[in-house]
Amino acid sequence: MEQSSSSKPTRARYGMLALVFVNVVINYLDRSNISVAGAALSKDLNLSTVELGYIFSAFGWTYAALQIPGGLIADRFGPRVLYAFCLITWSLVTVCQGFIKGFAALFSLRLATGAFEAPSYPINNRIVTSWFPENERTSSIALYVSGQFIGLAFLTPILFRVQEYAGWQGLFIGTGIIGLLWGVVWYVFYRDPLDHRGVNQAELTYIEEGGGLFRGKKPGAAQVNIWKWENLKQVISHRTLWGVYIGQFAVNAMLWFFLTWFPKYLVDYRHLGFIKSGYLASVPFLAACVGLLLSGFLSDRLVRQGRSVGMARKTPIIVGMLLSMSIIGANYTNNTALIIFFMALAFFGNGMALISWVFVSLLSPKHLIGLTGGIFNFMGNLASIVVPIVIGYLVQGGNFKPALVFVGTLGLVGACSYIFLVGKIERVGINTGKEVLISE
């Protein structure tokens, strides 16, 4: 399409980022509604803590398993159509969860939710890589990822209120309808850089000269070497990539505690009122959002100041993962304010570490960004399977302390992964499989 010829760069990229932000809010709304419903749902369906752990984890089974296919699909098809399809299908499945009668039906529908959401984060990364230059990329990632925290922080009390008046059935139906409507909005308004009427040549030049990648083949066109085994081997055979893969598992471990067991922890194990728990549960999400935005903008500022990519990108993640260990402090107090403080501090640190998606853009071969992002998200979302199930077994005796130690210890594992495995920031070579130094 014809773009404006003004010499001053337009800012169409920020409008596209705003659309992605809302996608992320809805994405996490449909992931986390099960946590708000968990306490009432487990009583109505007579679920044990172990069974509830499996319900909490069901999303992750298909979501993690389909990350690699999701990454490949993100490389082949355009974000506009693919994201609209994903939004509408996972939202329909969410509506159906409001009509379930037992464990098997709910487990199956959570599996379906994970399957249809699987391509979402590889698509997000592809969009940001296309629309933003390198010196804005980490802050852009931080902004769209913050949607999961800002949305949940402000919507969690509302979700608790909705469940109080409409039951957990109404909660699922309502959140699903929101996603259905937004899927249509996304399809109407999103465009890639070369197809956007509001972007001018100056902005395209600014993006491209800064490292933005939008000159690839058009969506649906034949892709070279994307589906070959050699490409998969290329992105799983490097120590640096394994460092960020393991680190992402640890980052997501903390995240999935808050997305699943945290409200039930407050209601059933700390014996707080249901509505009060809704407001208190929002505090750690706000803290995580602050940590994420602080980390993203600080990291990009360090890059603009000429600091090494390794220091600018890795340091906030390592510091954040060490801070996330503070969740263990909640085991040593019965004071509600202190419990929420330790939870908020831990999630603040976890938010700092969530800029880790920038390493997909930095390290992956340029033609395999979607595939690398798929594997990265696959490894990270193994935590969405493991953590809810392990917690379900750890707390079945009524003691939640071992669960918090388990989650906090994984934060240390993640920090060590970035310290000892992630070395120089190097891009994996496109054809040779060798690593090519891009900055240090």
Side-chain angles (χ1 to χ4, degrees):
M1 292 185 180
E2 183 180 355
Q3 285 102 16
S4 168
S5 60
S6 171
S7 60
K8 184 178 180 180
T10 51
R11 297 187 176 186
R13 62 193 182 278
Y14 299 119
M16 299 302 97
L17 184 63
L19 293 175
V20 174
F21 175 90
V22 179
N23 286 358
V24 172
V25 171
I26 294 173
N27 188 299
Y28 274 81
L29 196 64
D30 290 335
R31 295 186 195 194
S32 64
N33 51 16
I34 190 74
S35 69
V36 175
L41 189 149
S42 61
K43 292 178 182 177
D44 288 351
L45 301 182
N46 295 317
L47 302 177
S48 67
T49 61
V50 172
E51 288 174 322
L52 188 59
Y54 279 98
I55 291 292
F56 283 156
S57 76
F59 172 95
W61 290 33
T62 48
Y63 186 81
L66 293 175
Q67 281 308 294
I68 295 174
L72 292 169
I73 292 170
D75 279 328
R76 182 166 177 78
F77 298 102
R80 185 188 179 203
V81 174
L82 183 57
Y83 225 142
F85 171 81
C86 292
L87 278 160
I88 290 170
T89 50
W90 91 55
S91 298
L92 281 172
V93 171
T94 300
V95 171
C96 291
Q97 290 171 45
F99 299 94
I100 57 97
K101 300 296 182 182
F103 173 89
L106 181 57
F107 187 83
S108 298
L109 289 171
R110 294 301 293 179
L111 288 174
T113 305
F116 289 122
E117 285 198 20
S120 56
Y121 262 71
I123 300 172
N124 292 343
N125 194 62
R126 191 75 189 181
I127 291 169
V128 169
T129 303
S130 298
W131 271 103
F132 286 87
E134 169 57 31
N135 66 354
E136 294 182 3
R137 196 164 297 154
T138 305
S139 53
S140 301
I141 291 172
L143 281 168
Y144 81 68
V145 174
S146 71
Q148 68 195 53
F149 300 124
I150 294 175
L152 293 178
F154 289 101
L155 292 177
T156 293
I158 296 174
L159 295 180
F160 273 79
R161 289 286 184 183
V162 169
Q163 178 168 312
E164 182 182 29
Y165 292 107
W168 55 265
Q169 296 91 341
L171 178 64
F172 286 124
I173 294 170
T175 52
I177 289 174
I178 291 172
L180 288 172
L181 296 174
W182 182 254
V184 176
V185 174
W186 167 265
Y187 183 80
V188 169
F189 288 102
Y190 179 79
R191 296 294 186 276
D192 288 326
L194 293 175
D195 298 327
H196 198 290
R197 291 183 181 273
V199 64
N200 65 5
Q201 186 58 48
E203 183 175 14
L204 291 177
T205 300
Y206 172 72
I207 294 169
E208 188 169 27
E209 290 181 351
L213 305 175
F214 58 80
R215 295 286 183 184
K217 295 189 176 182
K218 297 290 288 181
Q223 300 287 329
V224 179
N225 294 328
I226 292 296
W227 302 89
K228 290 186 176 180
W229 163 252
E230 288 80 1
N231 290 323
L232 179 59
K233 182 179 179 181
Q234 191 172 342
V235 295
I236 63 172
S237 59
H238 297 275
R239 186 196 70 180
T240 297
L241 285 175
W242 273 102
V244 298
Y245 295 158
I246 294 170
Q248 191 67 3
F249 176 92
V251 170
N252 276 13
M254 177 73 66
L255 175 63
W256 277 93
F257 162 72
F258 280 97
L259 291 179
T260 55
W261 282 98
F262 181 50
K264 187 171 176 63
Y265 167 73
L266 294 180
V267 173
D268 290 349
Y269 294 89
R270 288 301 187 172
H271 308 295
L272 301 178
F274 185 72
I275 297 300
K276 182 179 181 180
S277 294
Y279 286 100
L280 292 176
S282 69
V283 176
F285 286 104
L286 286 172
C289 180
V290 173
L292 173 63
L293 294 175
L294 174 66
S295 180
F297 285 101
L298 175 62
S299 181
D300 274 352
R301 182 176 181 181
L302 291 173
V303 170
R304 289 193 292 269
Q305 290 176 346
R307 304 296 178 90
S308 73
V309 173
M311 189 278 281
R313 301 312 195 196
K314 289 192 292 185
T315 301
I317 295 174
I318 294 169
V319 171
M321 300 200 79
L322 292 174
L323 277 177
S324 71
M325 296 177 63
S326 62
I327 194 171
I328 300 173
N331 284 340
Y332 300 96
T333 181
N334 290 318
N335 183 282
T336 299
L338 285 177
I339 291 168
I340 298 301
F341 168 78
F342 284 120
M343 293 289 170
L345 181 61
F347 216 13
F348 170 85
N350 187 253
M352 289 184 66
L354 279 169
I355 65 167
S356 51
W357 264 99
V358 73
F359 285 99
V360 175
S361 299
L362 287 173
L363 301 175
S364 64
K366 291 184 178 180
H367 70 311
L368 296 176
I369 291 173
L371 176 59
T372 308
I375 295 174
F376 176 83
N377 218 20
F378 166 76
M379 293 299 298
N381 279 283
L382 288 178
S384 67
I385 302 171
V386 173
V387 171
I389 292 175
V390 170
I391 292 177
Y393 281 100
L394 290 175
V395 305
Q396 61 182 330
N399 183 6
F400 216 96
K401 291 182 178 180
L404 297 188
V405 173
F406 166 67
V407 174
T409 301
L410 288 176
L412 177 61
V413 171
C416 290
S417 179
Y418 273 92
I419 293 169
F420 298 111
L421 293 180
V422 180
K424 293 181 178 180
I425 305 303
E426 299 172 329
R427 187 181 299 281
V428 174
I430 295 177
N431 296 318
T432 64
K434 296 179 181 178
E435 294 181 345
V436 180
L437 181 63
I438 61 172
S439 181
E440 175 57 19

